[in-house]
Amino acid sequence: MPEKIGWERKDLLGLEDLSKEEIELILNTAESFKEVSERPVKKVPALRGKTVVNLFFESSTRTRTSFELAAKRLSADIVNIAIQASSVSKGETFKDTAKNIEAMKINIIIMRHSASGAPHMLARVVKSSVINAGDGSHEHPTQALLDMFTIKQRKGKIKGLKVSIIGDITHSRVARSNIWGLKKLGAEVTVCGPKTLIPLGIEKLGVKVTYSLKEALDDADAVNILRIQHERQQSGLFPSLREYVNKFGINRDTLQYAKKDLIIMHPGPINRGVELTSEVADGPYSVILDQVTNGIAVRMAVLYLIAQRRA
Amino acid sequence: MPEKIGWERKDLLGLEDLSKEEIELILNTAESFKEVSERPVKKVPALRGKTVVNLFFESSTRTRTSFELAAKRLSADIVNIAIQASSVSKGETFKDTAKNIEAMKINIIIMRHSASGAPHMLARVVKSSVINAGDGSHEHPTQALLDMFTIKQRKGKIKGLKVSIIGDITHSRVARSNIWGLKKLGAEVTVCGPKTLIPLGIEKLGVKVTYSLKEALDDADAVNILRIQHERQQSGLFPSLREYVNKFGINRDTLQYAKKDLIIMHPGPINRGVELTSEVADGPYSVILDQVTNGIAVRMAVLYLIAQRRA
Amino acid sequence: MPEKIGWERKDLLGLEDLSKEEIELILNTAESFKEVSERPVKKVPALRGKTVVNLFFESSTRTRTSFELAAKRLSADIVNIAIQASSVSKGETFKDTAKNIEAMKINIIIMRHSASGAPHMLARVVKSSVINAGDGSHEHPTQALLDMFTIKQRKGKIKGLKVSIIGDITHSRVARSNIWGLKKLGAEVTVCGPKTLIPLGIEKLGVKVTYSLKEALDDADAVNILRIQHERQQSGLFPSLREYVNKFGINRDTLQYAKKDLIIMHPGPINRGVELTSEVADGPYSVILDQVTNGIAVRMAVLYLIAQRRA
């Protein structure tokens, strides 16, 4: 069990706000928890008697399940609340929902919402802690933390590594959280994708931009491949699927000049034959399933640190 | 932990059936449980190894969540079963569903149904205990109990207080349960609303009737504002929303002659700007969020008393 | 608590694969667990810290609830995942779903799917144990095990008994699993139904075939009545409902020559007035609700044996 240490924030809303030390604290804590899920008895009493709510305004089996398991392996009580975003169109109603949940003496609310900033608004109005489980195209901090944790497990460090993020950067909360986190820990980050899907001025975040997949892969230590959201196809910004696959799909050929110890990540669920071929997804570079395993350790760490913080 | 005391009923179906002593027993027991939700470890072992089912034929995130948390904080095992009322049109099938759940050795079934009397029918056919979580426009006993608990916490007593219930009395299970409960504990109850939404002959229950909001608010100690069910608008009984707000909406002006220590309750979710303005909902008279907090204590008490009864 | 004994399989996919000894082991283990659900504290710590997932691609309140209660009474952590079969049309995606769940370090996946063989495919690709909770018209092993358990509880044995299965044999996973299991334990099995709903060549499984209900009931010790799936009516194979009821519906008259100690089973939910009359369903021969009770004991036994197997 990790020692009670210096986490002081009520909420985890994004990696933009966190210091290098806070991110490292989460990653180190996750290391202690990773082993819990390998035990015959996958359970520690750390959060016994704490109440956690999974408040999902957007459905997500994976993230919901990962948090639910993390909470249960910490012995917390967890309740799932799924709300159709359509039924809460007004901000006031959202606030009332929030205040009602708080009034039930909930320690931690894990929230996913299609609107950027929704968890931040929640965090301002409730005394309960809030964990952002993905807000619009803004942040998805636990995903980025598990990505970084996976890199660190594989490479022993993050500082100085070259990490490329490939795909629809504009609409990706995964990209945004990764950029903030990786930069703080000293990685060199390159983003790569169709011109229409890379936000103007993103260089200000300290990343390199390239429209050439070859350049993005060339000397990368880790590659994070974003999921193509088929629903974006209609947006006009998106090339045809065929064109996308031709220029940005990862396959054996595109990897021929890659480093021997490259690792390939993907937040899932993967579109086989689109962002990457099956050969790559199931190949030696892929650490995609490690990410899933690590997701539980990272979420246990976040829940633990928040629950145990000096109040 | 409360002492094992004299609760002997298998079920909690409504407040009409309960004696003054039984209601007081629940309220007193709730007082002991209220503190559990304030603790760092919000959990007592009272119902360990008991099985509770949330059987909801009508969806209700709030009530379901409140009961689920109450059960978990008592260490019970709870399973949620949501059934679309449409799929169980025949009474026999309902009985078969009931007998099947009973056969799984369920201690307590918490049931919500759109048909008045459904939990009573359930209680007759199963040996499991049944808690009515709202049946049609009949009763919603745990809501009324938490309302009374909230009054008692704020006022120190219920006897002799003047309590007004405002809105669509005819279709409100909350109103009905409150009337039964408050009268038994010695409150003076006034109901107030549009003429078309107050049942003829309701005076027989011992309540005063008024169609004037001013009269209902004038010397009230507590006001319970019912939720406007927008779907009733079509019924022909209902005035236009604008007319309703004008005559029965609670705002700063309507409260100008209210007692200084008036408390305002609402079962939620509130329609801001309809039954009451935001100023009132969030103002000094409002105890609406206390009601939510108290709901868990009252439901823990009910679950506890029923589970521990002398069998 | 049962002794740790000789169960060695990773999965329970069907009764076709099991030996007589393995089936008997499950039934004997279920006997030890049956008593747990009768206790005031219905909970044993056998699976504390194990993680179980209910992965249902077809909705089923009964089976899901029975497994959920079984897991909770064993102190396992259980998470429900309901997936609309429509959203996973491709085999690859199914495999990815499977690998993702495995990566969360799940001990046991309980799976229902409309496609025959889906749990077998799952079992091949994951290290987690898989329990088939019904796959297409293939097998439903825990249902057959609870049927056999019920027979054994009532009759003291299975060997040498005459068991008839009545209804749509072709499409019934319950029938198929019962045939495999009962034959292995030495029962004489007769199948009975409309000619169009009994598969050609089923005699090869060692069962007798009859199209006469009278013959099927005549000297039977136990009858298993299958549920009429109304959606099959369109298939062209099915007689009209009226015709079916006339020829294969069980009522007081059809039972007049039955053995005095006949037991009547049905996997539920029953169609009263179709497969059987209410008089029969609620009559002295019926053990339908015992089956529901026994289902939890049998599922606890299966979960326990699989979790405790020599790894």
Side-chain angles (χ1 to χ4, degrees), chain A:
Chain A
M1 190 65 34
E3 283 298 295
K4 220 188 247 189
I5 18 72
W7 182 268
E8 288 177 13
R9 287 178 189 271
K10 175 170 92 69
D11 311 298
L12 177 67
L13 300 176
L15 297 194
E16 184 175 0
D17 309 323
L18 294 197
S19 68
K20 174 171 171 282
E21 288 70 29
E22 287 171 311
I23 295 174
E24 282 172 344
L25 175 56
I26 296 171
L27 300 183
N28 292 339
T29 309
E31 219 150 313
S32 336
F33 281 120
K34 189 169 160 65
E35 162 275 333
V36 172
S37 294
E38 307 289 345
R39 293 185 198 170
V41 175
K42 297 178 227 305
K43 210 173 173 90
V44 291
L47 265 69
R48 214 178 68 79
K50 305 293 182 202
T51 316
V52 178
V53 163
N54 254 339
L55 179 64
F56 274 53
F57 289 83
E58 231 184 35
S59 71
S60 161
T61 299
R62 282 155 187 264
T63 306
R64 191 264 297 168
T65 302
S66 182
F67 271 113
E68 187 172 347
L69 286 170
K72 287 183 168 171
R73 289 186 184 159
L74 290 165
S75 302
D77 287 321
I78 181 161
V79 168
N80 291 307
I81 302 182
I83 300 185
Q84 301 307 322
S86 57
S87 75
V88 277
S89 41
K90 294 172 299 175
E92 271 182 324
T93 303
F94 172 83
K95 189 179 161 190
D96 282 336
T97 302
K99 297 299 282 180
N100 265 275
I101 292 174
E102 175 192 34
M104 295 189 195
K105 306 293 173 183
I106 304 304
N107 296 89
I108 302 177
I109 303 172
I110 297 158
M111 184 200 212
R112 166 159 295 192
H113 202 288
S114 59
S116 298
H120 306 68
M121 182 178 156
L122 179 66
R124 276 192 301 275
V125 299
V126 299
K127 284 191 290 282
S128 314
S129 292
V130 175
I131 296 174
N132 180 0
D135 64 320
S137 38
H138 181 222
E139 285 232 34
H140 189 353
T142 57
Q143 178 67 45
L145 286 163
L146 74 88
D147 294 341
M148 285 188 278
F149 183 81
T150 304
I151 295 174
K152 209 181 144 206
Q153 291 260 311
R154 288 292 176 136
K155 302 291 185 187
K157 61 167 185 177
I158 289 176
K159 191 172 168 148
L161 294 186
K162 290 182 200 305
V163 182
S164 293
I165 305 172
I166 293 160
D168 174 359
I169 308 296
T170 301
H171 300 100
S172 174
R173 52 195 177 205
V174 175
R176 225 163 303 275
S177 287
N178 263 285
I179 291 170
W180 291 116
L182 287 166
K183 290 302 301 176
K184 282 173 204 242
L185 293 208
E188 291 177 37
V189 180
T190 299
V191 298
C192 171
K195 221 165 205 162
T196 49
L197 295 174
I198 297 191
L200 269 177
I202 194 164
E203 295 87 348
K204 287 181 208 140
L205 302 184
V207 302
K208 242 177 71 184
V209 175
T210 177
Y211 308 114
S212 147
L213 184 61
K214 190 175 173 309
E215 214 177 296
L217 295 177
D218 233 18
D219 57 352
D221 298 294
V223 168
N224 207 334
I225 305 175
L226 303 176
R227 175 175 165 78
I228 290 306
Q229 307 285 346
H230 289 294
E231 59 277 22
R232 302 258 184 237
Q233 295 291 116
Q234 320 307 335
S235 70
L237 299 171
F238 220 91
S240 77
L241 213 55
R242 184 197 197 121
E243 197 186 335
Y244 185 86
V245 173
N246 277 341
K247 291 194 64 176
F248 300 100
I250 315 278
N251 55 45
R252 195 169 43 171
D253 290 345
T254 56
L255 289 176
Q256 58 182 323
Y257 304 112
K259 280 193 174 177
K260 289 287 162 278
D261 61 346
L262 171 69
I263 62 171
I264 289 182
M265 299 185 289
H266 188 296
I270 60 181
N271 296 303
R272 289 171 179 267
V274 182
E275 307 103 54
L276 75 182
T277 59
S278 280
E279 208 176 13
V280 173
D282 305 328
Y285 297 133
S286 171
V287 297
I288 296 173
L289 293 172
D290 288 351
Q291 291 173 274
V292 178
T293 303
N294 293 337
I296 292 183
V298 162
R299 288 173 179 125
M300 287 175 81
V302 169
L303 288 166
Y304 173 78
L305 289 170
I306 284 178
Q308 299 295 314
R309 81 184 195 283
R310 298 185 194 114

